[in-house]
Amino acid sequence: MQILGNIFNAVIFVSVIGSIFTVISLFVNYVFCCNLPLWFSFCGMIFFCVPFLSPDVFLISPETQNWINGFRIASLLWVCGCGVFLVHDILRLLLAKRAIKNYQICNNERLNRIYSECAAAATRKKVPVLYCGTLDNPICVTGVICPVIIMNETIIEQLTDNELSAVFFHELTHVKRKHVLLERIYDYVCILNWMNPFSWIAKGNFTLHCETDCDFHTLKMLRGKVAEAEYASAIIRLLEYSTVRAAKPGNGIGALDFLLTKRRIKRITARTSKIKDRLTALMLAVLLALMLVLSIRFSRESFYPYPAYDTGIEYSAGYNE
């Protein structure tokens, strides 16, 4: 119980630091309307799983501590919650693999031709297999070790050749930039911090930043081939096709999907300024440094020796005065 209590104490610490970072990120992103780079969101994921401590404290206390009953119960609930979410994640992964086995490799000549051209232009040595499936999303990437691309052929074939190129380049960029791997890591970070709603909010925000990062690098590769307006049009058409179905007449474009798509299109069509980007990067670097200082200072009040930060006196197991 001693070790479990210390681990839970460390989880509480990183959860608090990660929550502060998430609030700052959301404030900068939505209030100041700054386009946050993916590396800054990735730092948020690190704060949720790695404690940055002062060099004069210990993460695991060498002393035997008598944890209060409430804290003991809370740590046990945390472990049980982690187990439940982990089992749910494993079952979801197994069901996804089983579903992929039932999908067929795409045999549409037009789609395969455009996909092969995009894969060659994206300099992919190992091209992900293109499957046709019945998904709610028109197209997506799945698989960390051996990624594959699954598309809804009925929806995808309605796009023009240029729009198809933009869509295929987008998915191949997800694979190239390791977004699927990063999101899977964030899934386990959320399992570790399942009791903290800010971790799940940060995960959703990180997914959006993966999309905008993918949009930026895809347009960079398509420069001169597909215009920003045509790329944005492909996103809107895919959203329309995937939300308005004859089989689901009551489903439309959700408010959240609309707002996220609006943010993506605004960033795609916005003119970038190198000076503004550099100032934003400098401001984010300063905020990141302040977070590290806050984490180090807070660790002196949270870990062994607890009172040493305020009084300069270390308590020991035999100190009873």
Side-chain angles (χ1 to χ4, degrees):
M1 194 63 201
Q2 169 73 15
I3 297 177
L4 178 61
N6 282 321
I7 294 175
F8 184 53
N9 190 33
V11 171
I12 293 175
F13 174 82
V14 296
S15 191
V16 170
I17 297 298
S19 298
I20 296 173
F21 186 89
T22 300
V23 172
I24 293 175
S25 300
L26 294 174
F27 186 83
V28 173
N29 196 3
Y30 289 95
V31 177
F32 290 128
C33 298
C34 292
N35 296 331
L36 301 181
L38 187 62
W39 64 264
F40 191 73
S41 297
F42 180 75
C43 291
M45 179 174 68
I46 294 177
F47 277 120
F48 267 113
C49 57
V50 179
F52 293 92
L53 308 175
S54 173
D56 56 348
V57 301
F58 297 93
L59 183 63
I60 303 297
S61 173
E63 296 181 349
T64 301
Q65 300 165 7
N66 296 320
W67 300 106
I68 60 175
N69 292 330
F71 192 83
R72 183 182 292 110
I73 294 172
S75 60
L76 290 175
L77 288 175
W78 167 71
V79 171
C80 292
C82 289
V84 170
F85 279 101
L86 184 60
V87 170
H88 175 266
D89 186 79
I90 293 173
L91 290 176
R92 187 182 63 175
L93 182 62
L94 293 176
L95 291 175
K97 288 185 176 181
R98 183 179 179 181
I100 292 175
K101 291 181 180 179
N102 297 326
Y103 295 154
Q104 296 180 349
I105 297 177
C106 179
N107 55 10
N108 186 303
E109 294 183 2
R110 173 174 171 256
L111 297 179
N112 283 332
R113 174 179 57 81
I114 297 175
Y115 179 68
S116 299
E117 293 173 356
C118 293
T123 63
R124 291 293 306 171
K125 295 181 180 179
K126 187 176 181 181
V127 180
V129 180
L130 186 63
Y131 284 94
C132 294
T134 55
L135 301 174
D136 291 334
N137 292 329
I139 188 169
C140 67
V141 179
T142 184
V144 176
I145 300 176
C146 296
V148 298
I149 296 177
I150 306 174
M151 65 177 181
N152 189 315
E153 187 176 358
T154 305
I155 295 176
I156 292 297
E157 66 181 0
Q158 299 182 56
L159 302 178
T160 65
D161 288 359
N162 281 346
E163 289 174 340
L164 279 173
S165 297
V167 170
F168 286 143
F169 265 113
H170 180 91
E171 301 305 323
L172 290 168
T173 303
H174 273 310
V175 177
K176 185 177 181 180
R177 300 281 295 173
K178 308 294 183 184
H179 290 158
V180 178
L181 174 61
L182 294 177
E183 289 186 27
R184 286 297 297 159
I185 294 174
Y186 222 135
D187 285 338
Y188 293 110
V189 172
C190 287
I191 291 175
L192 182 70
N193 298 271
W194 65 267
M195 66 291 183
N196 185 357
F198 282 104
S199 64
W200 302 98
I201 294 173
K203 167 70 167 54
N205 204 41
F206 181 79
T207 300
L208 175 60
H209 287 141
C210 285
E211 291 296 330
T212 55
D213 178 76
C214 190
D215 291 336
F216 172 78
H217 286 88
T218 301
L219 285 171
K220 193 174 181 181
M221 285 192 297
L222 290 173
R223 189 166 296 167
K225 299 179 182 179
V226 177
E228 287 84 354
E230 196 168 15
Y231 184 86
S233 175
I235 295 175
I236 295 174
R237 290 187 66 188
L238 285 178
L239 181 63
E240 178 184 359
Y241 291 147
S242 62
T243 53
V244 182
R245 307 270 190 88
K248 299 178 181 180
N251 286 1
I253 298 177
L256 182 59
D257 290 335
F258 175 79
L259 291 175
L260 295 181
T261 304
K262 181 180 178 181
R263 288 182 59 191
R264 286 181 62 189
I265 293 175
K266 185 178 180 180
R267 294 183 182 185
I268 290 169
T269 57
R271 294 183 179 181
T272 59
S273 172
K274 291 184 178 180
I275 297 177
K276 183 179 179 180
D277 290 342
R278 290 173 181 176
L279 290 175
T280 301
L282 179 61
M283 179 187 67
L284 296 179
V286 172
L287 289 175
L288 186 60
L290 292 175
M291 281 300 305
L292 290 172
V293 172
L294 174 65
S295 178
I296 291 174
R297 182 178 178 86
F298 188 39
S299 69
R300 294 176 182 174
E301 302 174 351
S302 305
F303 296 98
Y304 176 87
Y306 309 105
Y309 179 77
D310 294 324
T311 63
I313 301 174
E314 294 186 12
Y315 285 176
S316 63
Y319 186 80
N320 298 319
E321 297 181 7

